[in-house]
Amino acid sequence: QVQLVESGGGLVQPGGSLRLSCVASGNMNHINSLGWYRQVPGNQRELVARMDNGGRAKYADSAKGRFTVSRDNAKNMVYLQMNSLKPEDTAVYYCNAAFSFYSDYGPYWGQGTQVFVSS
């Protein structure tokens, strides 16, 4: 019922920046949280940052001070500004929509966008 499409990934040098975007469409009536998760080969998918409809945000420790999540509720969009990127940030980044801010994740996922941090 909800579709998510990410964009903005790519290749960047360590210390550089990227801004990811995700647009949500479909039935958003019960969606209260949009966020970003990432996954590298052999690892579990993990939270990067998420934000509820009122602007409350939660960040992974690795993202604090470097990444900023923001939303444009009128456009059903969520963004992730990534600064001071490190090689360990290399991953596929997925957008996620959840019914509750208190859930670890929701049932709706985007297709993912690749971020590669390398010199």
Side-chain angles (χ1 to χ4, degrees), residues 36 38 46-50 58-69 80-86 89 93:
W36 294 94
R38 68 186 182 188
E46 64 180 13
L47 170 73
V48 179
R50 62 174 182 257
K58 180 179 176 63
Y59 292 89
D61 287 343
S62 60
K64 292 177 181 177
R66 299 189 300 128
F67 296 179
T68 303
V69 64
L80 184 68
Q81 178 66 46
M82 303 188 293
N83 299 326
S84 301
L85 283 162
K86 305 174 181 179
D89 294 317
Y93 285 71

Side-chain angles (χ1 to χ4, degrees), residues 22 25 34 36 45 50 53 59-61 63-64 66 74 77 79 84-85 91 93 95 101 104-105 108 114:
C22 172
S25 61
L34 294 174
W36 294 94
R45 194 170 298 184
R50 62 174 182 257
N53 293 355
Y59 292 89
D61 287 343
K64 292 177 181 177
R66 299 189 300 128
M77 295 192 72
Y79 308 90
S84 301
L85 283 162
Y93 285 71
C95 187
F101 181 76
D104 289 342
Y105 53 86
Y108 304 108
Q114 176 72 242

